[in-house]
Amino acid sequence: LERIKYFERLEPSLDVLRKLQKNHLLNVPFENLDIHYPTPITLNIDSIYEKIVRNNRGGFCYELNGLFYELLISLGFIA
């Protein structure tokens, strides 16, 4: 949540979903730099978390959406 600069309430609601999505869009960019380097592209959620959250990078659409899905599930949203 720090990565997307979201520090408000966390209950699963439409209002919270809208705010999470807006913060996600404004703070985590689409990025396709890995295809230009010999960096392996994996769909392992731990690797994606490391890349986007800990290394403060962006990601491909499937990386961003997969990680956002995991966030929603962890907060109690039904997705």
Side-chain angles (χ1 to χ4, degrees), residues 6-36:
Y6 184 83
F7 305 104
E8 298 183 41
R9 57 198 171 108
L10 294 174
E11 75 274 354
S13 68
L14 183 57
D15 182 54
V16 170
L17 178 61
R18 286 179 175 152
K19 290 177 181 180
L20 286 169
Q21 187 173 28
K22 180 179 179 181
N23 282 38
H24 182 260
L25 289 170
L26 294 175
N27 292 289
V28 183
F30 173 82
E31 168 195 306
N32 62 358
L33 297 175
D34 286 341
I35 63 171
H36 302 288

Side-chain angles (χ1 to χ4, degrees), residues 34-60:
D34 286 341
I35 63 171
H36 302 288
Y37 300 102
T39 305
I41 297 170
T42 65
L43 295 181
N44 175 290
I45 199 65
D46 294 327
S47 299
I48 296 170
Y49 182 87
E50 184 75 20
K51 173 184 175 180
I52 294 172
V53 177
R54 294 199 174 160
N55 294 335
N56 202 37
R57 291 185 51 195
F60 289 104

Side-chain angles (χ1 to χ4, degrees), residues 60-77:
F60 289 104
C61 56
Y62 49 83
E63 292 172 322
L64 299 177
N65 291 334
L67 196 58
F68 191 70
Y69 168 82
E70 293 293 332
L71 171 65
L72 294 179
I73 295 300
S74 74
L75 295 176
F77 283 89

